[in-house]
Amino acid sequence: MRDWLGRDWLGRDRVGAAALLVGAVGLLAYALIWASPYGLRVLTVAGVYALASFGFQIIFGLGGALSLAQGAFFGLGAYVTGILGSRYGFDASVTFPLSLLAPLLVALPVGLAVLRLDSHYFALATLGVAQVLHLLVVNLPDLTGGANGVPGVPPFALFGWSAPRGLPTAALVWGMVAVGGLIGWRVARGRLGRSLALVRDDPMAAACLGLDVGRLRLMAFALSALYAGAAGALAVHTQRVVSPEVLEFPVMVTILTIAVVGGRGRMVGALLGALLLIHLPEWFRGLERSYLIVYGVALLLVILLAPMGLTGLWTRLFPPPTHRLPAPLEPPAPPALNGERLRAEGVTKDFGGVRALDGVSLRLEAGVIVGLIGPNGSGKTTLINALSGLERLDAGQVRIDGRVMTNARPDRIARAGLARSFQAAILPDDATALAAVAAARLPLDRRVERAEAHARWALERLGVGALAGRLCHGLPAALRRRVELARALARRPSVLLLDEPAAGLTDAEKAELAALLRALAADGVALLVVEHDMEFLLPLADRVLCLDRGRTLYEGAPDGVRRDAGVIAAYLGGVGA
Amino acid sequence: MVTAVQLLVNGLALGAAYALVALGFVLVLNATSAVNFAQGDLVMAGGLLAVALAPLLPSVLPVPGLLLLPLVLVLMAGLGLLLALVAYLPLRRRPPVSVFISTIAVGIILQNGAAVLFGPEPRVAPPLLGDGVARVAGVAVPEQSLAIMAVAALLIGTQHLVFSHTQLGRRLRATAQDPEMARACGVPVTRMILLTFAIGAACAGAAGLLLANRYFMTPTAGGDLILKAYIAVTVGGWGSVPGAVVGALLIALFEVGVSWLLSQPVAQGALYGVLLVILALRPQGLFGEAVRRRA
């Protein structure tokens, strides 16, 4: 289904698109023909919650940050419209934008303060926001009407037209739901959504691929606040009163349950969840005030039994057609420079009382492979972590292409041209090899399609193009390594740090890997390879650096390392040192 | 001067109860690296359990609250086990946020279950010893405040002794530090985690019983209490057990002090403002974070 510009709006999931269309027509028929005025009102409230839940899907479903302020932002938007509309008689041209702005202005400073921290601090901070807003509303009766709230809020009015109760208000709300849902869906499928999913699944890996974790989460949080504010404003126009109840925990619980039951990260899930959960108390009138118990049980059962929610079940029943693979496209190479790309001097790192690195210096040049060896615990991985920004240095300096990058954030270092691999496998299990590699291009390419074309090139380059459509989960070790290497290579780094790339490979696979690494060096990449396997490393490396207890023991030609008394002593345990 | 001492006594009594809440929270956090969001609702459940059980005791007995305490501890420990079986063990291999949500779900069920059973009115549990007020050098010290401090000190002290001086305690600590390694060394990790949940819930229950006399208890009280425990653990350094206790005392003193100077809502708001400043400037807490992320 393409529009006149040839853009594909509904995606390739024809069954899903058809189901959505049938659902929309059914809902329209229900609203126009069968719904009582009360039923129409419940439907309108469901729309309001769907809109608030779209925003929650972006911050929580995609970004993985559990915001407990979505209900509070909803309430804040409601109060802004309520107070300005009933007290000062402003119409929606003033109240609606301000209802979006107020939650945004709260979200930005809170997000800036905590979004770079571990995610449990974010839950705490947002829970605090909710408590404080509720406290303010109850304790500022002159402004907010206190516990009684603000009555007599006018209907949604714009430039002299106003939406009366019933169908017009329902149409207005569901129109906004359509627009908001479409925007959210585009965000989820686009660069922002993909980047957020990567940040959610593995923030450390995302940062090492050059994604600015804090900025991405802040954007998601800001978007979530805008959605909540819009939903709150519409809620007040529907209810015509606003009271502290809109800021209480049940609103938040409802949004959370909608998102989880519907399916985390999916806009359709929010829509489905809102329709279902808002109508649930109506279908079971006996529930009355205990409907929240049912929400709690539903939340618990879904998280235990069907963590991907209703849309997850749907996807399992009707899997969307596999992605059409893009044609490979070579990403632009960095300017071919000779000479020094990375220089580290006097790098020192303490863990408590243990000096893990003690004044290590290192030079990496274009086209040169440096081997890094040393006994277990000698500081090899710590050095890679220090160079890539995951550990703060206690002393020393790191320059990449002449620019000082000491203690810069990992994403800045990555964008300066450094890529690395990890000892442990870090590919996301439920992504295809193509998607996993394309993730590395997200900070560089403007469109997902382009990132995937570049990823295809990287996979082909490493001889695993045929794996593009396979899930990373269940790839054999050797192929996994290749995909990981493709992920590092896709960014066309000028410096590549590899942590035990040959671990678990057969001799034949090691020989292929060595040839690949030589080819990369020939292209002008500066390589640092940590490896225990000397038969693999010594013929490959142009220069070898040996660490022992954080100090440089040997630096020089690979041939010399076998004869060096210090190195032999370090490996054999101190005799004759 | 007398006022200051008075405030100190009130603050310490409140802080002692908060410390029990935070202690239960941080023990479970360390054993599972998951946030137990139901901790506040467990406190509420403990308080209302005491309210419900009180009329069942023969009225001739002299110290109703103290007699209720062991009963509440045992029943709440059982609830903690149930919580672990339903909301933690099935999710232990999933991302930590799953447990966060499952415990939110349990909290919702507890909160609204209590609202159905007890109604929304505030309830009062019997005092531990009596309602009397002792006068010490012009300072009015309610017996209940002294009893709260004594019981909390006793429970926290017992926890500390068990954790630092017994084989069971070593196993619990090993589980908290590194579950994989503990399992490799033959520690029955799953049983230790179940036990930790039981201890955490018992701490919450005790706090509920203590708080429900001086401060009343409503079904929605848990939301505020989980926030306090969370703040105490953040201020004390995420994962630090002594830090959680000290953090709880600090925020209670802050709350009591600012409430006296200005008002209760201002104290709540200011506490949150201070928290945001701490998170922005010193996220590792005042005394440093105890759990370090493994790269």
Side-chain angles (χ1 to χ4, degrees):
Chain A
M1 302 203 186
R2 288 172 179 277
D3 69 1
W4 53 279
L5 279 173
R7 285 174 301 199
D8 189 356
W9 281 88
L10 278 175
R12 296 172 48 76
D13 184 4
R14 296 277 183 268
V15 181
L20 195 64
L21 201 65
V22 169
V25 170
L27 214 57
L28 190 66
Y30 167 74
L32 290 176
I33 303 167
W34 294 289
S36 65
Y38 180 76
L40 211 51
R41 197 177 150 129
V42 175
L43 188 66
T44 311
V45 172
V48 163
Y49 272 97
L51 201 55
S53 305
F54 289 150
F56 192 64
Q57 293 288 32
I58 293 174
I59 180 69
F60 169 66
L62 296 172
L66 181 54
S67 165
L68 295 172
Q70 190 71 357
F73 290 156
F74 176 91
L76 186 58
Y79 263 98
V80 168
T81 289
I83 292 170
L84 292 177
S86 87
R87 291 269 170 79
Y88 304 99
F90 286 117
D91 73 355
S93 66
V94 175
T95 59
F96 195 73
L98 289 179
S99 280
L100 268 66
L101 186 66
L104 184 67
L105 290 181
V106 177
L108 287 178
V110 173
L112 276 174
V114 299
L115 276 168
R116 283 196 195 281
L117 305 179
D118 274 344
S119 59
H120 51 251
Y121 292 123
F122 180 63
L124 168 61
T126 49
L127 181 65
V129 168
Q131 296 278 31
V132 167
L133 281 175
H134 185 255
L135 209 64
L136 280 176
V137 157
V138 175
N139 289 288
L140 293 175
D142 292 341
L143 181 66
T144 63
N148 297 323
V150 183
V153 181
F156 185 95
L158 202 59
F159 312 124
W161 173 84
S162 81
R165 284 181 205 278
L167 264 183
T169 299
L172 172 79
V173 167
W174 279 91
M176 297 264 196
V177 169
V179 173
L182 203 59
I183 294 173
W185 184 73
R186 300 285 293 180
V187 166
R189 283 168 46 104
R191 207 159 69 110
L192 179 59
R194 294 279 195 104
S195 306
L196 282 171
L198 190 67
V199 166
R200 172 194 63 200
D201 294 337
D202 193 339
M204 193 174 71
C208 288
L209 292 176
L211 291 168
D212 185 341
V213 173
R215 204 174 70 106
L216 285 165
R217 285 190 182 146
L218 188 66
M219 280 168 74
F221 193 39
L223 271 174
S224 78
L226 292 175
Y227 273 97
L234 292 175
V236 182
H237 286 307
T238 310
Q239 310 280 8
R240 304 284 172 89
V241 293
V242 55
S243 67
E245 274 179 26
V246 292
L247 281 161
E248 283 168 9
F249 204 52
V251 176
M252 184 63 238
V253 165
T254 306
I255 294 171
L256 174 66
T257 311
I258 286 172
V260 172
V261 170
R264 261 185 272 173
R266 306 274 313 259
M267 298 304 140
V268 180
L271 202 61
L272 206 60
L275 283 169
L276 192 68
L277 286 160
I278 299 301
H279 282 92
L280 202 65
E282 307 301 324
W283 294 334
F284 300 97
R285 278 306 177 81
L287 294 175
E288 292 196 13
R289 279 195 60 78
S290 56
Y291 72 94
L292 279 166
I293 300 182
V294 179
Y295 283 11
V297 172
L299 190 57
L300 190 59
L301 287 180
V302 168
I303 205 90
L304 289 175
L305 304 175
M308 292 320 291
L310 293 175
T311 44
L313 293 177
W314 172 271
T315 314
R316 203 179 291 172
L317 285 174
F318 305 98
T322 45
H323 210 66
R324 197 190 306 132
L325 291 180
L329 178 68
E330 182 175 351
L337 292 174
N338 285 319
E340 182 177 284
R341 308 311 296 265
L342 180 143
R343 174 190 280 266
E345 270 167 10
V347 171
T348 299
K349 174 72 195 170
D350 294 319
F351 291 118
V354 182
R355 179 148 288 195
L357 291 175
D358 192 358
V360 176
S361 296
L362 172 75
R363 275 160 48 86
L364 298 178
E365 296 109 351
V368 175
I369 300 177
V370 176
L372 180 59
I373 63 171
N376 284 324
S378 58
K380 303 183 298 292
T381 297
T382 307
L383 180 61
I384 287 197
N385 284 346
L387 296 178
S388 53
L390 292 182
E391 300 283 4
R392 282 191 75 79
L393 305 188
D394 292 306
Q397 195 186 53
V398 179
R399 286 166 178 270
I400 297 174
D401 285 338
R403 279 161 59 202
V404 177
M405 299 301 282
T406 316
N407 289 335
R409 284 203 318 262
D411 57 290
R412 294 225 172 108
I413 292 179
R415 289 198 296 272
L418 183 140
R420 65 164 291 175
S421 74
F422 290 85
Q423 271 181 43
I426 54 154
L427 295 178
D429 279 343
D430 53 355
T432 61
L434 185 75
V437 176
R441 293 291 310 178
L442 288 173
L444 302 166
D445 294 325
R446 295 199 49 183
R447 294 173 56 82
V448 171
E449 293 76 16
R450 203 171 174 80
E452 288 187 339
H454 287 150
R456 181 92 194 274
W457 170 85
L459 286 168
E460 300 280 353
R461 174 81 201 270
L462 287 171
V464 284
L467 297 180
R470 286 257 306 265
L471 288 182
C472 294
H473 180 74
L475 283 182
L479 297 180
R480 242 187 128 82
R481 294 266 169 212
R482 291 283 182 91
V483 176
E484 277 169 7
L485 206 52
R487 205 184 199 192
L489 178 67
R491 295 191 13 243
R492 304 305 296 263
S494 54
V495 179
L496 184 56
L497 315 179
L498 299 175
D499 201 352
E500 301 197 14
L505 302 193
T506 64
D507 285 344
E509 288 162 349
K510 278 177 193 168
E512 284 179 36
L513 179 66
L516 272 170
L517 297 183
R518 275 198 200 94
L520 282 182
D523 278 358
V525 178
L527 280 131
L528 179 73
V529 181
V530 169
E531 196 45 73
H532 282 293
D533 183 348
M534 297 300 152
E535 307 304 320
F536 168 76
L537 187 66
L538 294 183
L540 175 70
D542 299 299
R543 209 165 70 235
V544 168
L545 188 75
C546 179
L547 291 183
D548 181 40
R549 279 171 280 177
R551 287 165 189 261
T552 307
L553 203 57
Y554 172 87
E555 186 175 7
D559 302 338
V561 76
R562 286 184 196 276
R563 294 189 297 273
D564 188 89
V567 174
I568 294 167
Y571 273 96
L572 297 182
V575 191
Chain B
M1 186 58 208
V2 170
T3 321
V5 175
Q6 183 77 62
L7 288 174
L8 188 66
V9 169
N10 293 349
L12 287 177
L14 184 63
Y18 283 175
L20 280 174
V21 188
L23 181 66
F25 181 84
V26 77
L27 289 179
V28 171
L29 172 73
N30 286 349
T32 63
S33 50
V35 170
N36 173 15
F37 197 81
Q39 182 72 0
D41 296 300
L42 288 173
V43 178
M44 176 277 300
L48 290 181
L49 193 61
V51 171
L53 290 174
L56 303 178
L57 288 181
S59 54
V60 289
L61 293 174
V63 282
L66 205 57
L67 290 174
L68 278 175
L69 183 63
L71 209 55
V72 169
L73 285 177
V74 169
L75 288 173
M76 288 302 295
L79 188 57
L81 281 181
L82 195 66
L83 173 70
L85 288 173
V86 171
Y88 174 69
L89 286 185
L91 298 172
R92 62 195 300 184
R93 306 251 170 268
R94 301 248 200 93
V97 76
S98 304
V99 178
F100 211 133
I101 293 169
S102 71
T103 54
I104 288 181
V106 170
I108 298 164
I109 296 168
L110 284 175
Q111 193 181 112
N112 293 283
V116 169
L117 291 174
F118 292 87
E121 310 78 39
R123 300 298 189 113
V124 186
L128 281 170
L129 298 172
D131 285 324
V133 176
R135 288 218 159 260
V136 185
V139 180
V141 184
E143 281 177 23
Q144 176 70 4
S145 294
L146 290 176
I148 289 178
M149 286 187 257
V151 168
L154 193 70
L155 290 175
I156 293 170
T158 309
Q159 180 272 332
H160 180 72
L161 281 179
V162 168
F163 269 63
S164 56
H165 290 291
T166 66
Q167 176 68 13
L168 177 67
R170 270 190 286 278
R171 289 176 159 191
L172 286 166
R173 276 188 294 144
T175 304
Q177 269 167 15
D178 191 341
E180 305 283 318
M181 196 61 207
R183 193 185 303 272
C185 297
V187 175
V189 168
T190 305
R191 254 186 282 165
M192 291 302 116
I193 287 175
L194 285 173
L195 189 59
T196 309
F197 266 95
I199 295 173
C203 286
L209 171 68
L210 300 177
L211 286 168
N213 175 253
R214 290 216 63 192
Y215 299 92
F216 309 111
M217 196 55 79
T218 61
T220 52
D224 189 43
L225 288 164
I226 181 65
L227 188 58
K228 296 288 161 57
Y230 218 141
I231 296 177
V233 172
T234 302
V235 168
W238 196 247
S240 155
V241 176
V245 173
V246 175
L249 289 172
L250 282 179
I251 61 173
L253 288 171
F254 180 89
E255 209 180 311
V256 168
V258 179
S259 293
W260 176 75
L261 277 175
L262 301 162
S263 75
Q264 165 74 11
V266 173
Q268 299 276 330
L271 179 63
Y272 178 68
V274 170
L275 171 75
L276 262 196
V277 172
I278 290 177
L279 283 178
L281 300 181
R282 212 181 142 73
Q284 68 274 43
L286 297 180
F287 318 110
E289 204 166 293
V291 280
R292 226 186 136 265
R293 220 188 103 129
R294 292 180 195 103

